[in-house]
């Protein structure tokens, strides 16, 4: 199987929505993925902790924390640099 990169940006979503989105990606039938999750609000400690919790349990997750908010398009474009 070929590796597929999945990029997701977070900003100020509700924690339960973030958990649901992460679990949805991780529970797909195709498992050969690289899951890049970008924190586009570096001050949002709650979302950052949730993402890091998942990344400790699943090595397919890479956490990227932007130094400042880039907006959705900017964050996703930044995530492209990490795709394999």
């Amino acid at each position: 199987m070929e590796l597929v990169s999945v990029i997701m940006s977070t900003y100020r979503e509700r924690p339960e929505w973030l958990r649901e989105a992460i679990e949805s990606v991780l529970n797909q039938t195709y498992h050969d993925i690289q899951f890049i999750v970008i924190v586009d609000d570096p001050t949002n400690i709650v979302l950052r902790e949730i993402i890091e919790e998942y990344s400790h349990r699943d090595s397919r997750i890479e956490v990227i924390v932007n130094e400042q908010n880039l907006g959705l398009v900017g964050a996703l474009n930044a995530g492209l640099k990490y795709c394999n």
Side-chain angles (χ1 to χ4, degrees):
M1 291 186 163
E2 291 190 39
L3 181 68
V4 172
S5 296
V6 177
I7 305 172
M8 181 174 79
S9 177
T10 65
Y11 181 62
R12 293 186 181 161
E13 291 74 24
R14 291 183 181 179
E16 60 271 18
W17 293 354
L18 176 60
R19 287 184 185 280
E20 189 175 325
I22 291 172
E23 289 176 20
S24 175
V25 172
L26 296 177
N27 291 326
Q28 296 295 311
T29 56
Y30 192 88
H31 293 284
D32 198 12
I33 64 168
Q34 171 194 27
F35 188 13
I36 301 165
V37 184
I38 301 147
V39 180
D40 198 31
D41 178 2
T43 65
N44 195 330
I45 303 303
V46 173
L47 294 188
R48 193 173 178 171
E49 288 175 348
I50 291 170
I51 297 164
E52 288 174 355
E53 169 193 326
Y54 278 97
S55 73
H56 291 307
R57 291 189 295 183
D58 195 314
S59 62
R60 299 176 294 173
I61 300 174
E62 286 185 50
V63 182
I64 310 301
V65 180
N66 290 341
E67 292 181 15
Q68 63 183 17
N69 175 259
L70 301 177
L72 179 59
V73 173
L76 294 175
N77 281 334
L80 287 173
K81 296 175 188 172
Y82 297 92
C83 291
N84 291 322

